[in-house]
Structure formats: structure tokens, C-alpha cells
Amino acid sequence: MITFVNLKELKPGMVLAEHVYLKNNLLLAGGSVIKPNYINRLQKCGIDQFAVYDKVLEQQYILSNPVEKFYAKKYSTLAKIFSNLNNEEELDIGPIYKVIETILATVLKNQDDLLLLTGYSSTADIYLYAHSLDVCIYSLITAKAMKLSTEEYLLLGMGALLHDIGKFKVPDHILSKKESLTIDEFSEIKKHSAYGFYMLKRISQMNPTVSRIVLEHHERCDGSGYPKHLRNKEIHKLSKIIAIADIYDALTSDRVFKKKILPHEAAEYLLSISKSQLDSEITKIFLKNIAIYPKGCQVLLNTNEVAIVLDSNPKMPLRPRLKILTNNKGNFLQHPREFDMSSVLNVFITHVFS
Ligand SMILES: [Fe+2]
């Protein structure tokens, strides 16, 4: 049965019976389980009436799943590492290898688990950690498809986790500025790859290839990148992988100054610059292996129905096989039905839920 509650009565574990909109933008989908952080978000939006099912889910369904917990743990490890590096304290690179090895083990076992978590954690305070982990996950998945060596996996993972470390040297007010940057501010941001290079260079245990990757992650094959305007063959293969993962993650994550775009739009953008700025072969491998809509990901269709991805379709990655969970008003279907998007071409994904 459906009941209506106000914000004060809304409790974690309740399940929304209808979509919640804010100024015509979908905020939460019908079928979403209310989590404590959703209530905080809704408080800020001033919405005060919600249709919910009367069944409240048990605590274990509200809490993060084990993969999310694993991910959260990595944030704190990275925060410690980044702060040590920034304060020029002696750095033990052992914990960084541990993070990489755990991600690598999951990538080799079931990469869909990790893909479900990328692109989601984007509050300003943890953006750098979330982005670094996402880039590491995407890079290692690409490396696996490229059949790189174990040594290359480790160098790539390390370079990916530390690629933006130099941003600690860029003033906060520039990094978090919502308006467009001035020319001077933009050139300050562009220094972060060189700042990162020098931060890593002073660490004796650090492999010089890692510092090189950090320096080169904004170089582009046509010479339009920075800081050295290197061209195709001058850029390390591992730096090229990170460049692609970095662009993709930046486009598909919310930032203080821009909204994220949909995974397929980011894929189209990467393809559009793959022949000039990026390594086109690596871009193809990246897009083939990063499930645009990974298994388990919840999406909204142009029919206003909510669905969950059952399987990706390697031949048509933008048209996965789905299970439709709600009708167009957000009400749960008693019998969710399977739907293959490759068979009905006028149905498309308009939103990915995080
Ligand atoms: Fe960067």
C-alpha cells in the first residue's frame, strides 16, 4: 500500500512509490530506498511530500554494500597518502601498492562490481580521491584488455592514483571556483601535472615512469596538450591510457562547476577526439571494455520507466538488456519484465541513477 509522508516522517529504509522531481529535474526515482544522506539532500531542496510504500526495509538493505564499504576505505587510505605527499613527509609507498593490488584483484575477478561505483562520489571534499580511484579502475580494466605485464599494471595503477596529486599545490579557491576561470587561473591549474611530477620525484622509492605518467597525463597526441606539447610517439603508452580514463571520468562525474553527462555522451566525445588528441586504438579498447551501462546500474528511460541493467550488449553497448522495475509514474511493477533495448530502437536511456 502507498502512503504519503512529509520530510519529518521520511525514514531510512522507506521505498519511494513515485519519482521525486525538483523543478522538472528527476531527483530520486520511484523504487529508490531512502538512505540517510538522501534525507539531508531533500531537506536542502524544500520538498515536503513523498509517496512511499508502507513496507520499511531492514537496516542491512539501507547500508552500503560490501563493495561500497571497500571503496570508502580506500578514500581514507588515499587521503592519508595525499596529505603525507603534500606535507613532504617521508612516504611509504606500500599502502598505495595495497590499494592497487586490491583493485587489480577485483578487476581480474569481476570488474562490473567496480564499474558500478565509478563516477558517483563527487562531493567537492572527496572529489580528488574518488576521481583518482575511478581513473585507476578504468585504467586497470583497459590494461587487462591490452594484456599488459604485471609490472605495467603496477606502474599504471600508481600513476593513475597519483596523477592529480599536484592539485594540492593549486589554491583551493581556483579549484572550487564555480564561474569560468580567468586566463591566469587556468594557467595555474595547468601547472598541476608539473607540480605532481616534482612532488613524486623527491621520493626515492618512486619509479621514474610513475613521475613521467603524472607529468604527461594532459599531453595530447596532436601536440595540443600540456605542459610540453608532446606528440604521439613522445608520450608514454601508460600516460595515454590515463588521459582517456581521466577525460571519461571527469565528463561522467558531477563537479562544482558542471553537471555530469551521460556515459554514452562521454563515449561519443572520446570517439570524436580519438583520431586527433588520443591514441585511437587505446580509445577503442577502453570503450569496448568499460561497460557504458554496467550490470546492476539503475537507469531511467525516455518512457519514464525505471529499469535495472541485466547485461551489457557488446555489439550495441548503448542498448543493454534491462529489467523494467516501474511504470511511467514510478510505481513498482508487480511482475518486473525483461526488455532488450537492441530490439526497440526508439527507447533510450535519459538518466543514470547514482
Ligand atoms: Fe589532471
Side-chain angles (χ1 to χ4, degrees), residues 20-32:
V20 176
Y21 290 93
L22 179 67
K23 294 177 190 158
N24 292 330
N25 290 320
L26 184 76
L27 203 62
L28 286 171
S32 301

Side-chain angles (χ1 to χ4, degrees), residues 131 163-164 167 189 192-193 214 217-218 226 246:
H131 173 66
H163 75 282
D164 265 348
K167 285 207 173 146
I189 283 203
H192 77 275
S193 37
V214 170
H217 77 276
H218 283 285
Y226 61 85
D246 182 27

Side-chain angles (χ1 to χ4, degrees), residues 233-248:
K233 287 199 174 115
E234 299 166 308
I235 307 170
H236 197 289
K237 176 174 70 181
L238 302 182
S239 314
K240 289 175 178 173
I241 299 175
I242 291 180
I244 297 165
D246 182 27
I247 298 172
Y248 182 81

Side-chain angles (χ1 to χ4, degrees), residues 285-305:
I285 296 171
F286 178 89
L287 291 176
K288 212 172 147 200
N289 288 278
I290 303 300
I292 307 282
Y293 298 109
K295 201 170 161 180
C297 148
Q298 208 177 325
V299 296
L300 179 71
L301 303 176
N302 59 330
T303 55
N304 223 17
E305 296 161 306

